[in-house]
Amino acid sequence: MKHFIKAQAKFLITVLTLVVLLGVGATVAYLQSTTGTLTNTFEMVELDTRIEETVNPDGTKNVVIANTGKSNAYVRARIMVSGIAPKNVEITTDSTRTQAEAGKILLVMPNAGAEADKKWKRLNETAPATYSDDWYYFCEKLPGTDEAPDDPANSDQAKRRKTSALLEKVYFGDDVNPNEITITITHESVLAVPGDKNDPAGIKKVFDAPK
């Protein structure tokens, strides 16, 4: 019988007072994450995924999920926004946008959507995208260190073990109090099965398989 492992972690993004000082267009800071190491019942495997921050030259932060364990994995993540009505949460894939409409917040997600070149997708994704807290599936297998070992002479190995950024920036429109907004990002990972899956439905089946 197949036995798969699932790891789960939840991360809370709290908008600090500093955001108010920065004004409209300030970017949310993301907290670091930790997950534990899990092992398969029948053979030794290691599944360890975590959120990592990348600080850009303009001070904004991209968040990716990295596979730091030995085993290959699939990951999914969801973004939950509280403190504002869902209808007032807007999604854009346009990374050049820097302003939200009055009374709204803007999530800049250039790597998510229904288009073929987007790696983060929801089930039955439509264009243009609208906000929901449904799972986004990263539509590639993330290799572990067994397949893509750390190599000081080849930084591409470590890059292969990371997703593209799901959420890059958050902007607040006029009449929105950032102190009242909380964004929670939850991510899960599951041991990859033989045969690559590159669509949300196929990867969801791996997550839903009996564990």
Side-chain angles (χ1 to χ4, degrees):
M1 179 180 69
K2 294 181 179 179
H3 186 84
F4 304 115
I5 300 170
K6 182 186 294 184
Q8 177 173 319
K10 181 177 287 186
F11 312 95
L12 185 65
I13 305 170
T14 303
V15 181
L16 305 179
T17 304
L18 176 62
V19 173
V20 179
L21 300 178
L22 294 175
V24 175
T27 301
V28 173
Y30 302 87
L31 302 182
Q32 68 180 15
S33 68
T34 57
T35 58
T37 298
L38 305 175
T39 55
N40 190 295
T41 301
F42 300 104
E43 60 179 356
M44 294 302 295
V45 298
E46 184 181 290
L47 184 62
D48 190 356
T49 56
R50 61 190 65 188
I51 284 184
E52 293 184 354
E53 294 180 342
T54 300
V55 181
N56 300 316
D58 63 359
T60 61
K61 295 181 180 180
N62 295 346
V63 173
V64 303
I65 298 174
N67 184 3
T68 58
K70 294 181 179 180
S71 304
N72 299 341
Y74 294 114
V75 299
R76 63 183 180 183
R78 65 198 306 183
I79 301 172
M80 292 169 283
V81 182
S82 61
I84 191 170
K87 67 180 181 179
N88 292 326
V89 180
E90 184 183 2
I91 293 175
T92 183
T93 60
D94 183 0
S95 58
T96 66
R97 284 192 60 182
T98 59
Q99 187 171 355
E101 297 179 12
K104 296 184 177 183
I105 68 172
L106 178 66
L107 307 182
V108 182
M109 304 172 64
N111 300 308
E115 295 83 356
D117 63 331
K118 307 301 184 185
K119 296 298 184 183
W120 287 100
K121 298 180 184 294
R122 293 174 291 189
L123 289 173
N124 304 314
E125 185 72 86
T126 59
T130 56
Y131 168 74
S132 75
D133 61 3
D134 294 337
W135 288 107
Y136 281 90
Y137 293 83
F138 187 68
C139 294
E140 282 186 1
K141 175 187 67 179
L142 282 188
T145 56
D146 280 350
E147 181 175 322
D150 289 318
D151 183 354
N154 184 3
S155 61
D156 288 342
Q157 290 290 79
K159 292 179 181 179
R160 288 181 58 204
R161 303 200 310 266
K162 298 180 181 181
T163 68
S164 56
L166 173 59
L167 176 62
E168 288 195 351
K169 302 175 185 177
V170 180
Y171 295 103
F172 302 88
D174 293 339
D175 303 324
V176 175
N177 183 356
N179 285 324
E180 297 177 352
I181 307 299
T182 300
I183 300 175
T184 303
I185 296 180
T186 299
H187 100 273
E188 293 184 345
S189 57
V190 66
L191 192 67
V193 298
D196 291 344
K197 308 292 183 183
N198 57 11
D199 66 282
I203 297 173
K204 182 178 184 298
K205 288 181 180 179
V206 181
F207 276 94
D208 293 344
K211 308 299 186 291

